[in-house]
Amino acid sequence: MEIISYVGQGSNSSYNQIHTSTLTLEELLNRQKRLSYQSQQKLDFSELKLNLIILLKNVAFCLKKVRFLLVGILAIGCFVTTTFFVNSLINSVSKPATFDYALEAEIQIMEEAMRNLVLDDTTVDYTDDGTLSAVTNFSFTNPVSYQEYTVKSGDNISSISKKYGLTNISTLISVNNISNAKQLRVGQKLKIPSIDGIIHTVNAGETLEAISAKYNCDYSAILDVNDMTSSLLQKGERIFIPGKALDQSSLKKALGELFIKPIAGAYRLTSPYGYRADPFTGVRSFHTGIDMAIATGTPIRAAMDGKIATAGWNNVYGNYVIITHDNGYQTLYAHMQKYIVATGQKVTQGSTIGYVGSTGYSTGPHLHFSVYKNSKLIDPMTVLK
């Protein structure tokens, strides 16, 4: 089939110019299809652009939401972290400190070192009251006699007493008026009595009966051993009291074992020797000395003559000093602010060795004072009295 005429408008023709073409129906239909397809393509492209714009807007909106979500998550994280930190800080302050294994082990090491530092170069073969291990019975009916002995190298008060069959070191100390038995010197002359006993110097108005009662010694025995024909006494007269010994205080003083308190000022005894609740943990534990609380900087004195075994630092005791004394005694001074002595230095009783502080395992300014006797801890109060 043919179409008689087709009117089309060209781009360069005027409104009145008409071009006539002869087209078949199939060609016209195909051309319409092409025009329709092109129009559809233009429509689809426009719709695609519109959809793309909508998609981008949605993405932007979602990103905005995500941004607020991230900020929220970050804020929550900061809050949780801060809360955890604050709680940890509060717990660390409010809860008691833990006394961990390392600290306990260090205390044990320190105590072992204390025991090992004790110098047992002097054999102590007498009891606390001065009695020697070998005891011989004496008769107090015969008058006491004396002989002279010259001290030789290696002698001590104990060996000389045993050499002459005496049973208590108090005898030689009292008869010879020895103020420090540790300072016997070679060539020194000693009077050796034939029997054990001590000397009493008569005071004004004193009677033999009063002296007998004071020492709980038989009246006639005093008369016999002193070969007295009368009970009348003179002031300053020296009377031998048979079988008796010095009191412990006088004996310790003569042996250089009379301790003085390591702090001269007024202190508070905040923790005694023995079992107690740990000041940090509250756990029951053994306290190896006494704690003497006093102001920081208070001078600390050597309790007895001795030699500095060690001076240093320990996590438990802080700044500390250990002094070795005669007869197996040793003292520990701990938590010092500082010490002013050196290892090997000799110190005299009462000399300043350092100052009170609160170093090491300590709750406040105080002196921790421990005493060892023959490698074993003893209660410091038994020697400070």
Side-chain angles (χ1 to χ4, degrees), residues 167-181:
T167 65
N168 196 298
I169 60 175
S170 290
T171 299
L172 292 185
I173 292 173
S174 177
V175 168
N176 292 279
N177 197 25
I178 296 174
S179 60
N180 191 335

Side-chain angles (χ1 to χ4, degrees), residues 48-357:
L48 179 61
K49 288 195 295 182
L50 180 60
N51 290 338
L52 182 59
I53 291 171
I54 293 172
L55 177 63
L56 290 175
K57 286 183 178 180
N58 290 336
V59 169
F61 181 73
C62 291
L63 288 175
K64 189 175 182 180
K65 283 187 174 182
V66 170
R67 183 182 66 180
F68 285 118
L69 181 62
L70 290 174
V71 170
I73 293 173
L74 182 61
I76 293 172
C78 291
F79 175 76
V80 171
T81 303
T82 303
T83 302
F84 176 78
F85 174 77
V86 171
N87 286 338
S88 298
L89 182 61
I90 291 173
N91 289 337
S92 66
V93 173
S94 61
K95 290 182 180 179
T98 55
F99 194 42
D100 57 22
Y101 174 78
L103 193 56
E104 291 179 349
E106 188 162 2
I107 288 180
Q108 292 176 0
I109 292 171
M110 189 65 181
E111 298 301 336
E112 183 64 27
M114 282 285 290
R115 287 189 288 271
N116 291 338
L117 281 168
V118 174
L119 303 179
D120 290 324
D121 54 350
T122 302
T123 302
V124 179
D125 51 3
Y126 49 83
T127 62
D128 288 342
D129 65 357
T131 301
L132 294 163
S133 54
V135 179
T136 304
N137 293 322
F138 291 99
S139 171
F140 299 135
T141 57
N142 297 320
V144 62
S145 60
Y146 297 91
Q147 54 183 309
E148 188 177 82
Y149 177 76
T150 303
V151 177
K152 299 180 177 58
S153 177
D155 281 340
N156 57 51
I157 201 72
S158 177
S159 63
I160 298 172
S161 296
K162 288 194 289 186
K163 182 181 293 185
Y164 286 91
L166 300 174
T167 65
N168 196 298
I169 60 175
S170 290
T171 299
L172 292 185
I173 292 173
S174 177
V175 168
N176 292 279
N177 197 25
I178 296 174
S179 60
N180 191 335
K182 304 303 178 184
Q183 294 182 356
L184 290 181
R185 64 185 183 277
V186 175
Q188 182 177 349
K189 305 293 185 180
L190 297 179
K191 290 175 65 176
I192 312 295
S194 56
I195 56 175
D196 277 294
I198 58 175
I199 297 294
H200 175 82
T201 302
V202 177
N203 297 314
E206 226 173 10
T207 65
L208 193 60
E209 290 82 357
I211 295 172
S212 173
K214 177 181 180 178
Y215 292 101
N216 191 26
C217 183
D218 185 69
Y219 178 90
S220 60
I222 297 176
L223 286 173
D224 290 340
V225 298
N226 288 279
D227 198 19
M228 298 171 65
T229 58
S230 172
S231 60
L232 295 178
L233 302 175
Q234 298 294 323
K235 179 184 176 181
E237 187 177 352
R238 286 165 58 89
I239 303 295
F240 190 86
I241 312 298
K244 299 303 174 180
L246 294 172
D247 62 85
Q248 285 201 21
S249 179
S250 299
L251 179 60
K252 286 181 179 295
K253 183 177 180 180
L255 293 173
E257 295 180 4
L258 190 62
F259 285 71
I260 64 169
K261 293 179 180 179
I263 292 177
Y267 64 88
R268 289 185 302 112
L269 185 64
T270 56
S271 187
Y273 174 85
Y275 282 99
R276 65 166 185 178
D278 185 274
F280 283 94
T281 66
V283 177
R284 186 171 183 266
S285 58
F286 191 85
H287 190 222
T288 59
I290 60 173
D291 287 344
M292 309 165 79
I294 197 168
T296 299
T298 301
I300 299 171
R301 310 181 298 175
M304 281 202 306
D305 292 352
K307 184 178 181 181
I308 304 299
T310 183
W313 166 269
N314 178 277
N315 287 338
V316 177
Y317 293 118
N319 290 316
Y320 71 94
V321 170
I322 298 173
I323 304 179
T324 298
H325 313 280
D326 291 324
N327 288 338
Y329 280 104
Q330 194 168 49
T331 51
L332 164 69
Y333 311 77
H335 307 302
M336 290 180 166
Q337 181 186 51
K338 67 176 181 178
Y339 52 82
I340 57 172
V341 290
T343 301
Q345 178 181 338
K346 290 185 177 180
V347 292
T348 57
Q349 187 179 60
S351 61
T352 300
I353 60 173
Y355 300 93
V356 171

